């Protein structure tokens, strides 16, 4: 139940291994809202194209494909209600949509991010560091070419910023629920 239903959608954005998926899935469970992960869409596309998403990113896809994902994101956020949309750029793309609560997730301790990738992907520390570096070095210039020379994770684009190095999963979810005006039914 909401005391102030200002927001009809939530975006959860951040770089690799900062905790966006954990937060988005916890919000889905708490709110019973639809959940869409753009990474899943991209991985499915990459599988169909015979690519491994861990080895390639935005630069391996056509501009047309990237723009189609952008258009799909904007359409969902404008038209659908009660949706949680998780993507690296979702908050940036929704920056002018007042009905969308834009959440930026960061992890201020790089070693924690590396550890998360190591455990999730079952790879070595060196492999995790290389994978993270490659993905970010490939994606960011592609997106800047397409969307302008922006810092896509500049706090000015977001309503809520959560550092998962400093907050646990439940506390992070609570911060977002509080911002939504969520109240437990009595």
């Amino acid at each position: 139940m909401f005391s102030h239903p200002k927001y009809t959608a939530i975006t959860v954005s951040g770089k690799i291994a900062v905790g966006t998926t954990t937060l988005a899935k916890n919000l889905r469970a708490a709110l019973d809202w639809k959940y869409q992960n753009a990474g899943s869409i991209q991985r499915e596309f990459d599988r169909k194209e015979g690519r491994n998403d861990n080895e390639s990113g935005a630069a391996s896809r056509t501009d047309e494909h990237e723009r189609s994902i952008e258009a799909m994101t904007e359409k969902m956020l404008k038209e659908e209600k009660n949706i949680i949309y998780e993507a690296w750029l979702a908050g940036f793309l929704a920056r002018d949509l007042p009905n969308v609560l834009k959440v930026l997730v960061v992890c201020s301790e790089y070693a924690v991010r590396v550890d998360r990738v190591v455990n999730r992907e079952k790879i070595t520390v060196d492999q995790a560091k290389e994978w993270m570096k490659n993905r970010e070095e490939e994606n960011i210039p592609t997106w800047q070419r397409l969307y302008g020379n922006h810092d896509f994770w500049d706090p000015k684009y977001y309503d809520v910023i959560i550092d998962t190095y400093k907050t646990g999963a439940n506390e992070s979810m609570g911060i977002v629920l509080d911002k939504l005006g969520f109240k437990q039914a009595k």
Side-chain angles (χ1 to χ4, degrees):
M1 158 178 359
F2 295 97
S3 59
H4 303 286
K6 175 181 175 181
Y7 301 107
T8 59
I10 302 168
T11 60
V12 180
S13 301
K15 294 182 180 179
I16 298 167
V18 295
T20 56
T21 301
T22 298
L23 176 59
K25 287 182 176 182
N26 285 345
L27 289 169
R28 176 184 63 188
L31 298 170
D32 196 30
W33 284 15
K34 178 182 175 181
Y35 167 65
Q36 181 65 59
N37 177 304
S40 296
I41 295 167
Q42 298 289 24
R43 284 185 291 280
E44 179 62 27
F45 175 82
D46 288 341
R47 277 191 291 277
K48 288 179 182 175
E49 296 292 313
R51 288 191 287 269
N52 180 337
D53 187 49
N54 290 344
E55 297 169 2
S56 63
S60 67
R61 299 179 195 109
T62 66
D63 289 356
E64 180 181 281
H65 173 76
E66 290 296 313
R67 293 272 189 206
S68 73
I69 295 295
E70 172 191 5
M72 180 194 67
T73 299
E74 289 177 358
K75 181 176 178 8
M76 289 177 96
L77 294 173
K78 285 178 181 177
E79 296 177 4
E80 293 193 32
K81 304 284 188 250
N82 302 339
I83 183 168
I84 300 160
Y85 195 93
E86 178 197 353
W88 283 38
L89 299 184
F92 173 79
L93 294 174
R95 67 192 178 278
D96 296 325
L97 300 177
N99 66 304
V100 178
L101 178 64
K102 293 159 283 294
V103 179
L104 174 63
V105 181
V106 299
C107 179
S108 59
E109 184 56 50
Y110 179 72
V112 171
R113 292 177 60 207
V114 171
D115 187 62
R116 289 173 179 169
V117 171
V118 166
N119 289 312
R120 181 178 69 208
E121 303 296 330
K122 308 290 187 241
I123 58 179
T124 68
V125 169
D126 288 339
Q127 288 172 318
K129 287 178 181 179
E130 186 66 20
W131 179 67
M132 292 168 66
K133 178 179 172 271
N134 289 343
R135 290 287 306 287
E136 289 177 6
E137 286 180 356
E138 184 176 312
N139 289 345
I140 294 168
T142 298
W143 294 330
Q144 286 178 333
R145 181 177 49 75
L146 289 171
Y147 307 120
N149 192 23
H150 299 282
D151 172 358
F152 300 108
W153 303 280
D154 186 324
K156 72 182 180 186
Y157 299 124
Y158 298 87
D159 304 305
V160 177
I161 294 95
I162 297 172
D163 184 344
T164 59
Y165 178 66
K166 298 176 181 174
T167 61
N170 287 334
E171 184 180 358
S172 296
M173 180 179 61
I175 291 168
V176 176
L177 293 175
D178 287 348
K179 183 72 175 179
L180 283 173
F182 184 78
K183 306 287 183 210
Q184 287 284 11
K186 294 180 180 181

